[in-house]
Amino acid sequence: MRILVSIDDTDNFTTKGIKGTGDLAKNIARAIKSNGWGNSSRITRHQLLLHEDIPYTSHNSSMCFEAEIDPQYLQAVIDFSVQHLETESEPEADPGLCVIIPDRLADPVRLIDYGYRAKREVLDKNDAYVLASELGIHLSEHGGTGQGVIGAMAGAGLRLGGNDGSFKDKHKVGEPGTILTAAELCALAGVDGIRSLDGALLGGDATVVVGNMVKSILSEGQAVIPVQPLETGEQAPVWQTCSKQQIHLLQRISQ
């Protein structure tokens, strides 16, 4: 059984960066494997709206991962996630949990649309609960105001849509300035492709210069590394991997 697990709002202003939402998502993903419930994919970070009416610590982002589990362990995964959020989220946090089974969604477009609305609008958690009930989604709050349910469900919708989110960890593919072909970079990073900022997929022999930090994003359901052109004066184009800051900006403006 394929599931998506999404969480949000687990830290606070004084402890941000010490034990963040991504760390708790990673712990849940590891527990799925260590307990023999199934296997998990990499975690994606989904940037939501930054607005004065939305309380957040630093970036207002949720974390989501996909897992393939034995159906008999679905409740065990939910129970562990609930317990982990309640015991490991920081004081004054407002954690939320969303677990979906994509194949059982009668209207997945509604969930995807909700995710994109959370990038543009200030949403109400009551609307999140109504939608979760109508779509048969597990949605629960585990402390504070429970506002994290909004971001948790938005993250699940955005991950399901396949065109939003940056993968949490960076790729170790060489020192900054290392020159690779796109095919070599794909192999070293374990990603599906290398794309320019306008969405074009690079050929395997394209030249790519490694930047200070190499990260991948979710695009068309695949993990791809975004690159930008370098002005070198050479006839053949040369590309460079985008910085973490550029990727975060891309995620803020994605619609």
Side-chain angles (χ1 to χ4, degrees):
M1 173 191 288
R2 176 188 173 219
I3 65 171
L4 296 181
V5 179
S6 182
I7 64 174
D8 188 30
D9 212 341
T10 67
D11 53 7
N12 62 29
F13 287 100
T14 59
T15 58
K16 61 185 179 181
I18 298 176
K19 184 170 57 177
T21 305
D23 297 312
L24 270 62
K26 184 177 289 186
N27 292 342
I28 296 170
R30 285 173 174 168
I32 289 174
K33 182 176 182 179
S34 64
N35 285 306
W37 299 331
N39 290 290
S40 303
S41 67
R42 293 171 59 204
I43 298 165
T44 44
R45 171 190 180 275
H46 299 275
Q47 178 63 56
L48 308 178
L49 178 66
L50 299 177
H51 191 279
E52 60 183 8
D53 291 335
I54 301 175
Y56 58 87
T57 50
S58 55
H59 300 294
N60 192 27
S61 58
S62 56
M63 300 286 175
C64 186
F65 65 87
E66 180 177 321
E68 192 70 33
I69 66 169
D70 188 314
Q72 67 177 314
Y73 297 124
L74 175 62
Q75 192 59 49
V77 171
I78 293 174
D79 290 345
F80 177 87
S81 301
V82 167
Q83 183 270 337
H84 196 63
L85 291 182
E86 290 180 349
T87 59
E88 298 300 321
S89 295
E90 297 294 348
E92 301 176 7
D94 309 308
L97 168 69
C98 181
V99 180
I100 71 168
I101 304 171
D103 290 342
R104 295 183 184 176
L105 290 176
D107 191 357
V109 173
R110 291 182 66 193
L111 179 60
I112 296 169
D113 286 346
Y114 181 88
Y116 281 104
R117 283 182 60 203
K119 297 175 74 70
R120 303 186 303 263
E121 304 173 26
V122 178
L123 302 177
D124 182 272
K125 75 172 185 177
N126 293 326
D127 293 335
Y129 278 119
V130 169
L131 181 59
S133 177
E134 293 175 350
L135 296 181
I137 292 171
H138 172 91
L139 187 67
S140 54
E141 57 189 77
H142 302 286
T145 67
Q147 287 293 108
V149 297
I150 298 172
M153 195 157 79
L158 291 167
R159 178 71 181 247
L160 182 64
N163 281 300
D164 183 90
S166 58
F167 288 93
K168 182 178 183 298
D169 296 321
K170 62 183 180 180
H171 298 288
K172 298 178 181 179
V173 295
E175 296 297 321
T178 300
I179 298 175
L180 301 168
T181 65
E184 289 171 335
L185 180 54
C186 276
L188 286 171
V191 298
D192 301 301
I194 314 297
R195 289 185 184 274
S196 64
L197 293 178
D198 62 5
L201 186 66
L202 270 62
D205 59 351
T207 301
V208 182
V209 179
V210 174
N212 290 329
M213 180 183 292
V214 180
K215 291 180 69 67
S216 51
I217 63 173
L218 184 64
S219 176
E220 298 181 5
Q222 296 184 320
V224 302
I225 294 175
V227 294
Q228 59 183 336
L230 273 180
E231 297 294 336
T232 64
E234 300 292 332
Q235 185 172 3
V238 176
W239 306 87
Q240 183 177 45
T241 58
C242 293
S243 67
K244 179 179 178 180
Q245 291 74 21
Q246 287 174 309
I247 290 175
H248 283 183
L249 180 59
L250 286 172
Q251 296 304 308
R252 284 185 61 181
I253 63 177
S254 67
Q255 299 292 328

